[in-house]
Amino acid sequence: MRLTQRALCLELSVTLALDARAKAMRAAGRDVVSMAVGEPDFRAPEAAQAAAVERVRSGNVRYTAAGGAPELRSALAAHVSATRHVPYAPEEIAVCHSAKHALTAAHLALLEPGDEVLVLLPAWVSYFEIIKLTGATAVPVACLPDCRPDIEAMRAALTPRTRALLFNSPNNPSGVVWTRSEVEAVTDLALERDLALISDEIYRALVYDGVVNTSPVEVRADARARTVIVDGASKAFAMTGYRIGYVAGPRDLVDAVVRLNSQMTGAPNTISQAAYRAALEGPPAELDTMRATFQERRDVLANGLRALDFAVPEPKGAFYCFPDVSSVLDGRSSTAFCEELLEREALALVPGSAFGLPNHVRFSYATDLANIETALARFRRFLGR
Ligand code: PMP
Ligand code: GLU
């Protein structure tokens, strides 16, 4: 069939493709350790599981309103108000099929072909493709060497076509959590240049060492009118396969997202909405356990990588370490490096080039300590140490 340029120009998600490859190698009998995919290896909270089963059994699995069931919109409005310390109304929440879908709908609502979006590196793989889909252009903005935001580089990347700025803290792939003053600086830039701020806060709940993530809406009262918060259940509640997320933002943007969704996908999954609501009602003790477990794994992995003399950007959130491996690439690209590592040592990592920083590789520590120890041992052997 003759396909559109729009469809042909999209890449398959590198993270999902690598995960599929690791699973296929495992099915073929190889003892693969995969630190490729960013997916919590925990179960959803008991209350969420029970609510999903109960909803199926009740027979009440009809369409909800396109923007989400009113009870979930209210619960999310209360959740955003409490966690970002700024009041949100249910009409300022659009429930979506996932954070990925929320990002896509928000970008479709905000961007015209030819617009430019500053994408702050390192950046999650799907941002570039979602922006492409809208006909707008993603303009990657370099970070400082420790993966912290570079405000001067953002300023230098602005053009009259710049319409929005997309950032993600806690960050995938680096685990870096922006400080309040970094969030203030980027928010001020958006205010000064009349830009929309798209703040992907999907890892907000996964922060370590007492660090707190800050949303732009918390630092400037007038940021709220231009900020789109994207979040969901996948990471905070280990509910990846439930596929449920949301957009929180100004009423006109939320209405536009609901109209788009009403035509593209219809109402979000009713069972997952019920499960998400139950998870939000918490306080699920499982989350504290999950956070403490991630922190312990983070320590083992980051210390192990630093002991090998790699610079590891400060991993204070999410579940990734993103060491700079330029000293061991020996002329190879990070993609070739990861391919060789997978073939020789059956260790799956994601090349930094997928996130715009080709001198790095991403380790996901959403896997148990035994796997992390094995991965470090294989990595050492691969490096000939
Ligand atoms: N944003 C970031 C930074 C992510 O890592 C992910 C993980 N897939 C998502 C958004 C999307 O999450 P989901 O679609 O599972 O809600
Ligand atoms: N966000 C996760 C990752 O970066 C899940 C895979 C994906 O949706 O890309 O690995």
Side-chain angles (χ1 to χ4, degrees), residues 53-375:
V53 172
E54 202 276 321
R55 179 50 68 109
V56 173
R57 291 270 175 228
S58 76
N60 180 15
V61 191
R62 305 284 175 213
Y63 294 140
T64 66
E71 308 80 56
L72 179 58
R73 283 180 103 174
S74 295
L76 283 169
H79 172 74
V80 176
S81 306
T83 50
R84 277 71 167 190
H85 315 104
V86 175
Y88 273 78
E91 300 74 32
E92 293 170 307
I93 306 287
V95 184
C96 297
H97 291 252
S98 61
K100 200 175 260 188
H101 173 235
L103 280 163
T104 308
H107 281 83
L108 283 170
L110 287 170
L111 301 173
E112 300 283 6
D115 285 347
E116 293 176 1
V117 184
L118 302 192
V119 179
L120 307 194
L121 298 182
W124 180 46
V125 292
S126 292
Y127 297 157
F128 305 104
E129 306 307 308
I130 289 171
I131 293 167
K132 239 192 247 174
L133 192 60
T134 68
T137 304
V139 178
V141 180
C143 53
L144 297 171
D146 51 1
C147 287
R148 304 217 69 94
D150 183 344
I151 304 293
E152 287 320 307
M154 289 176 219
R155 262 186 202 288
L158 290 167
T159 78
R161 289 172 172 251
T162 312
R163 172 87 182 82
L165 199 153
L166 166 59
F167 79 104
N168 167 228
S169 171
N171 181 260
N172 177 6
S174 68
V176 165
V177 179
W178 287 26
T179 61
R180 191 178 175 96
S181 64
E182 286 166 341
V183 176
E184 280 169 1
V186 78
T187 306
D188 287 343
L189 186 65
L191 287 164
E192 181 192 317
R193 301 297 288 249
D194 190 23
L195 307 177
L197 257 181
I198 305 168
S199 178
D200 180 346
E201 301 178 15
I202 184 108
Y203 295 99
R204 191 199 62 81
L206 297 177
V207 281
Y208 317 114
D209 308 328
V211 158
V212 180
N213 193 58
T214 310
S215 176
V217 298
E218 293 175 73
V219 299
R220 299 282 182 251
D222 42 357
R224 200 178 182 295
R226 62 182 61 249
T227 302
V228 183
I229 294 174
V230 172
D231 195 356
S234 285
K235 319 290 170 170
F237 296 114
M239 288 171 62
T240 47
Y242 285 74
R243 311 307 298 133
I244 196 84
Y246 67 91
V247 165
R251 179 77 191 259
D252 51 354
L253 178 269
V254 164
D255 286 348
V257 165
V258 173
R259 282 199 304 279
L260 277 160
N261 291 353
S262 79
Q263 300 297 357
M264 286 195 303
T265 54
N269 180 315
T270 303
I271 303 158
S272 298
Q273 290 193 64
Y276 195 8
R277 193 169 145 228
L280 286 164
E281 273 166 9
E286 292 107 311
L287 297 191
D288 295 332
T289 309
M290 180 164 84
R291 208 177 294 111
T293 309
F294 274 140
Q295 180 163 329
E296 189 187 354
R297 295 169 176 180
R298 188 272 322 253
D299 290 342
V300 171
L301 179 62
N303 292 339
L305 292 170
R306 285 180 176 141
L308 290 168
D309 287 334
F310 293 113
V312 182
E314 209 54 64
K316 294 284 187 191
F319 34 68
Y320 308 106
C321 283
F322 197 53
D324 180 333
V325 294
S326 49
S327 61
V328 295
L329 286 176
D330 288 332
R332 289 166 293 191
S333 66
S334 56
T335 306
F337 179 86
C338 289
E339 291 271 342
E340 223 179 292
L341 182 62
L342 184 58
E343 276 314 314
R344 272 178 40 201
E345 292 292 342
L347 172 60
L349 304 181
V350 184
S353 50
F355 308 99
L357 293 192
N359 285 336
H360 293 246
V361 292
R362 186 188 81 173
F363 287 76
S364 159
Y365 51 87
T367 187
D368 62 31
L369 274 180
N371 271 337
I372 293 170
E373 297 285 9
T374 308

